[in-house]
Amino acid sequence: MKTLIIALVSIPLLNLASTNKQIAVTPNKKTVEAAKSTGKFILVMSHADDKAKAAILENRHTSKFLNDHFVIEQQGNTNGQNLYLIYNQRQELVHRVTNEPYPYELAVKIKRALDPETQYYTLLARFENGDHSAAILENLVKAASDAGDRKNASRLMQAYLETQESPLAPENIQLLAKHTTESSDPGFALLLADIAAADDVLGNGKTAEKLASIVFNEVFVPQLDKKNVDLDAMAEKAKSMLPNNDLAYLIDGMVIQFLEMREDWDALQSALPAYLNAHGNQLSEAMHKYYSWLGTEHLAGGKNAAHNR
């Protein structure tokens, strides 16, 4: 394999936007020398989770792929993320993947480091130097997501959308749905503005479910471990983020999900029947069956409730 020489700045400390931590991730001298002698890239696997490390290295297909193309160095870390950092032989960081649990998906994402047209940091350098073509930006959006680079993901998506005559063209809706993960992302407002158009591509109800999951993660999840919470205030906050009366059943459903996750069975005793009475006709048969099971297992009057409390 030919060595790829790319004019990038060496990065001895990598700033992780999602954790606001810096960790040393450069390969050691022995690894660099091995890469030069074999003509391979360097893959630094920095794991907080030994299971993730074992999965990709113990799978014979993914292990062979990695060993064919990379000199592998393993490091441990305490930042809570599993990182895969790819360097060229000049010790320049060209690509990054974070927190992908599935070996084959991880291998596909790491493979993008072999092509300058899909290397994240190579493309990012081209973007910063003025290349704002749609093709570059589409690859950058995907690569930023793979890299877990929340700091840049939103601005790259916005730059991509500015190259599009129709931001809600079917192919763009797929991209937005996959790479919109926060309410501050440009895709959130676009999908919310035309749920019907997005549903034509994603499937009936899928757009609202996507947006609701983002709101739940931002509004309700941070309150899970707090002793005293204001459910009404949380619900109002969610409504302000999803100002669509047709989505009321999803917002009220967030309260039910929140109480269930906290195992607050006493509060659910009254909240769940009220929810079903108000929104039962909007719920799927599967959800009705689930809530029936929930009542049987945990709420007063259910046959297994006393045992499970």
Side-chain angles (χ1 to χ4, degrees), residues 119-181:
Q119 291 170 347
Y120 179 47
Y121 289 106
T122 305
L123 293 178
L124 191 59
R126 289 172 62 179
F127 171 77
E128 299 294 3
N129 286 327
D131 187 345
H132 291 188
S133 65
I136 288 289
L137 284 163
E138 183 175 357
N139 281 334
L140 265 173
V141 167
K142 297 173 182 177
S145 178
D146 291 349
D149 187 356
R150 290 301 314 154
K151 181 179 179 180
N152 283 311
S154 185
R155 75 182 182 108
L156 292 171
M157 177 63 85
Q158 184 60 48
Y160 170 77
L161 292 171
E162 289 171 1
T163 69
Q164 301 297 296
E165 291 185 10
S166 177
L168 287 179
E171 60 274 16
N172 290 336
I173 288 173
Q174 292 282 8
L175 192 72
L176 288 168
K178 185 173 183 179
H179 300 290
T180 296
T181 60

Side-chain angles (χ1 to χ4, degrees), residues 68-271:
D68 283 348
H69 296 283
F70 302 94
V71 174
I72 301 170
E73 178 179 324
Q74 298 184 53
Q75 299 181 7
N77 69 61
T78 59
N79 67 74
Q81 294 199 55
N82 296 315
L83 308 172
Y84 306 87
L85 306 158
I86 297 90
Y87 296 82
N88 62 21
Q89 293 163 33
R90 295 175 61 182
Q91 301 179 64
E92 296 165 338
L93 183 64
V94 297
H95 198 66
R96 178 174 109 196
V97 179
T98 64
N99 297 330
E100 172 54 63
Y102 301 108
Y104 288 104
E105 288 294 322
L106 177 57
V108 168
K109 292 179 179 181
I110 291 175
K111 185 179 180 181
R112 292 171 185 155
L114 303 178
D115 184 352
E117 294 301 317
T118 51
Q119 291 170 347
Y120 179 47
Y121 289 106
T122 305
L123 293 178
L124 191 59
R126 289 172 62 179
F127 171 77
E128 299 294 3
N129 286 327
D131 187 345
H132 291 188
S133 65
I136 288 289
L137 284 163
E138 183 175 357
N139 281 334
L140 265 173
V141 167
K142 297 173 182 177
S145 178
D146 291 349
D149 187 356
R150 290 301 314 154
K151 181 179 179 180
N152 283 311
S154 185
R155 75 182 182 108
L156 292 171
M157 177 63 85
Q158 184 60 48
Y160 170 77
L161 292 171
E162 289 171 1
T163 69
Q164 301 297 296
E165 291 185 10
S166 177
L168 287 179
E171 60 274 16
N172 290 336
I173 288 173
Q174 292 282 8
L175 192 72
L176 288 168
K178 185 173 183 179
H179 300 290
T180 296
T181 60
E182 298 181 0
S183 62
S184 58
D185 289 340
F188 186 92
L190 281 171
L191 293 172
L192 180 61
D194 200 339
I195 290 176
D199 273 359
D200 285 343
V201 176
L202 304 176
N204 187 44
K206 296 300 183 181
T207 308
E209 291 175 5
K210 166 75 177 181
L211 299 176
S213 69
I214 292 172
V215 172
F216 182 80
N217 286 334
E218 292 184 4
V219 176
F220 287 84
V221 170
Q223 308 297 320
L224 279 171
D225 295 327
K226 294 185 178 180
K227 184 176 181 180
N228 298 310
V229 296
D230 188 336
L231 285 174
D232 290 338
M234 292 158 63
E236 286 302 314
K237 174 64 175 176
K239 289 176 184 177
S240 71
M241 297 170 71
L242 295 172
N244 184 326
N245 290 334
D246 292 337
L247 305 184
Y249 77 101
L250 288 171
I251 295 169
D252 291 345
M254 295 179 197
V255 175
I256 302 301
Q257 183 180 355
F258 179 78
L259 293 174
E260 181 187 356
M261 292 174 71
R262 282 166 64 96
E263 298 186 355
D264 191 345
W265 311 125
D266 289 336
L268 266 176
Q269 187 68 41
S270 58

Side-chain angles (χ1 to χ4, degrees), residues 57-75:
L57 292 178
E58 292 180 0
N59 180 295
R60 66 187 180 92
H61 299 292
T62 54
S63 178
K64 182 181 186 304
F65 161 72
L66 293 182
N67 285 297
D68 283 348
H69 296 283
F70 302 94
V71 174
I72 301 170
E73 178 179 324
Q74 298 184 53
Q75 299 181 7

